[in-house]
Amino acid sequence: MRKYVFCFSFLTIIFAFANAQAPKGQTSSEPVLPYSPSLDVSSMDKTVDPCVDLYRYSCGGWQKKNPIPPDQTSWSVYGKLYQDNLVFLRGMLEEAAQPSADRNAVTQKIGDFYAACMDEGAVEKRGISAIQQDLVAIGSLKSAKEITPLVAHLQMASTGYSKTMFNAGSTQDPDNSEQVIADLDQGGLGMPDRDYYTKDDAKSKETRERYLQHVQKVFELSGDSVAAAKTNAETVMRIETALAKASLTRVERRDPHKLVHKMKLADLTHLAPDFDWAVYYREMQYPEFAILNVDAPEFVKELNKLLASESVDSWRTYLRFHLVDSSSPYLSTPFVQENFEFYRKYLRGAKEQQPRWKRCVQYVDKDLSEALGQVYVAKVFSPELRRARSTW
């Protein structure tokens, strides 16, 4: 569903970006952030009584001038600012992608990454072979004991690790804000959350059917026959539905006390003995830890039951889908398009795919954010500009 996010033009804080002027000596060919006034009264609609509709009074003018772009799922002054920044970053990355003696290790890294992403011909040529090594590893799975190191590898290597069986990471200790501890949470779903699998209204049923079609299509694109893809899609849906039913609801997750279940690794092993947690954390290169938090113990119990009850073949099917599905945005056109059709178009309401340059800029920002940030700061906050601003 496409929507407008809150506007409130008179409360919009864009001072840093609005006043980011190009340093002296900067040529017109270099990227420059656009100027936007911090207070733009034309964004208001003064024909509306603010006591009746404060939102339209504050933002009505802006909405009329800014329809939701066809490649966006929502729109706001912040979204527009983000898009302006993407254009600026594009200029930086295109400059960094050009072979030059002036490039340092950081600019070369982000430039080469961006150039590789923009090389659509090479991406189309590789197709699904880009993830062939991981597909072979999944196909070679022979026993339940081999699932643990394989899942660890996929979570480390895959772009969509959070969708593979469960979520894992770190969090602040709920009892000590100065300490960070390991965290284990529910996950493993291809749709946004449990409600998509459990609600019985007509729209939810339609969405599940549409998702089933999407899963089948992903298997077909991966080389399965129509019949095999249909069977495999039903396997994925069965496993995900079981995981969803054991997951906490959105309402339950709003209560922080329901997410606190601190335990030792031995306790987690007792909770779910069919997954080798010691091997998992070693393969994931976690530092040694004495305690972790398990957000949803009932989910972990259900995962353990599924590891015992589902065949190895079923788990191969489940893991294969999530690998291909999470990798689809980075593969050849048929995968990219199918991913867009379900996730951004059907679920979220976008009408058009984002242009490739925009997606590539966002991939660099996501995967090489620290490196990109260094170049961004050097460009926008040069020593000359910092000295000028210090006099404000």
Side-chain angles (χ1 to χ4, degrees):
M1 177 183 295
R2 304 210 312 162
K3 61 181 180 179
Y4 280 98
V5 183
F6 67 92
C7 169
F8 289 110
S9 57
F10 55 88
L11 294 179
T12 304
I13 308 301
I14 56 174
F15 185 80
F17 288 98
N19 292 280
Q21 304 292 333
K24 292 180 180 179
Q26 185 179 39
T27 66
S28 59
S29 62
E30 291 182 296
V32 180
L33 285 170
Y35 172 79
S36 297
S38 55
L39 176 61
D40 184 0
V41 294
S42 69
S43 294
M44 304 169 70
D45 184 351
K46 296 182 180 180
T47 65
V48 177
D49 184 346
C51 296
V52 175
D53 191 337
L54 179 61
Y55 180 80
R56 282 186 58 202
Y57 174 80
S58 305
C59 305
W62 191 91
Q63 284 190 333
K64 291 175 183 177
K65 294 184 295 182
N66 294 274
I68 302 177
D71 67 342
Q72 297 298 310
T73 59
S74 63
W75 201 232
S76 67
V77 289
Y78 300 108
K80 188 174 186 298
L81 179 63
Y82 177 72
Q83 296 303 311
D84 290 340
N85 201 47
L86 287 182
V87 174
F88 181 78
L89 293 175
R90 179 191 187 184
M92 284 175 38
L93 289 169
E94 288 181 346
E95 182 180 309
Q98 300 300 317
S100 168
D102 296 332
R103 290 204 305 175
N104 56 33
V106 176
T107 53
Q108 180 176 349
K109 178 185 291 186
I110 63 173
D112 289 353
F113 188 107
Y114 178 75
C117 181
M118 290 297 292
D119 190 352
E120 194 166 2
V123 174
E124 295 298 328
K125 185 177 180 179
R126 283 195 298 270
I128 199 173
S129 66
I131 56 172
Q132 189 60 40
Q133 187 174 350
D134 286 339
L135 287 171
V136 170
I138 292 172
S140 302
L141 186 67
K142 294 182 176 62
S143 68
K145 290 183 178 180
E146 297 176 356
I147 290 179
T148 299
L150 178 58
V151 168
H153 167 74
L154 293 174
Q155 289 192 355
M156 286 280 282
S158 173
T159 56
Y161 63 89
S162 64
K163 292 185 178 180
T164 307
M165 294 185 76
F166 54 82
N167 288 337
S170 60
T171 188
Q172 278 187 310
D173 186 331
D175 301 318
N176 181 2
S177 62
E178 296 182 355
Q179 180 171 296
V180 174
I181 61 175
D183 185 72
L184 182 67
D185 200 359
Q186 63 195 40
L189 309 180
M191 290 192 284
D193 67 23
R194 75 180 302 279
D195 285 357
Y196 285 79
Y197 297 83
T198 60
K199 293 177 70 173
D200 290 329
D201 59 280
K203 180 60 178 177
S204 295
K205 291 178 180 179
E206 175 198 296
T207 300
R208 284 195 290 274
E209 181 58 34
R210 182 64 182 80
Y211 177 61
L212 199 60
Q213 294 171 12
H214 165 68
V215 178
Q216 179 176 336
K217 182 64 175 179
V218 169
F219 279 120
E220 290 179 22
L221 291 173
S222 302
D224 290 4
S225 67
V226 174
K230 186 175 186 298
T231 299
N232 288 338
E234 291 169 351
T235 296
V236 171
M237 194 65 167
R238 182 180 67 250
I239 292 175
E240 290 189 7
T241 300
L243 292 174
K245 288 180 177 179
S247 300
L248 294 170
T249 67
R250 298 180 200 176
V251 175
E252 288 171 331
R253 293 183 67 83
R254 292 179 191 142
D255 182 349
H257 299 289
K258 291 184 177 180
L259 301 179
V260 179
H261 307 91
K262 293 166 65 175
M263 60 183 70
K264 297 178 180 178
L265 186 59
D267 300 322
L268 176 59
T269 300
H270 179 74
L271 190 67
D274 289 310
F275 193 85
D276 196 331
W277 297 102
V279 168
Y280 172 78
Y281 285 114
R282 183 174 68 246
E283 292 292 319
M284 291 290 286
Q285 301 176 25
Y286 272 60
E288 290 188 15
F289 58 85
I291 197 167
L292 77 157
N293 186 65
V294 178
D295 298 58
E298 293 305 315
F299 172 88
V300 176
K301 289 180 182 178
E302 180 62 27
L303 176 61
N304 190 72
K305 291 179 182 177
L306 292 172
L307 286 168
S309 61
E310 291 286 348
S311 67
V312 174
D313 185 59
S314 293
W315 283 112
R316 281 197 294 264
T317 299
Y318 169 86
L319 293 173
R320 183 159 65 97
F321 165 72
H322 279 283
L323 170 64
V324 178
D325 192 51
S326 63
S327 303
S328 288
Y330 316 99
L331 301 178
S332 53
T333 297
F335 293 95
V336 172
Q337 190 61 29
E338 175 57 31
N339 186 272
F340 166 76
E341 288 290 333
F342 180 71
Y343 288 108
R344 283 188 64 83
K345 186 175 183 179
Y346 177 77
L347 282 186
R348 304 188 63 193
K351 296 180 179 180
E352 293 179 4
Q353 175 70 280
Q354 292 183 324
R356 187 170 192 88
W357 73 262
K358 191 177 292 187
R359 287 177 276 145
C360 288
V361 170
Q362 291 175 91
Y363 297 155
V364 178
D365 192 21
K366 179 173 71 73
D367 295 331
L368 296 176
S369 57
E370 295 292 335
L372 182 60
Q374 290 182 45
V375 180
Y376 182 91
V377 169
K379 178 72 67 175
V380 176
F381 300 103
S382 65
E384 181 182 13
L385 192 59
R386 286 199 297 269
R387 285 193 297 270
R389 289 184 176 179
S390 67
T391 63
W392 289 2

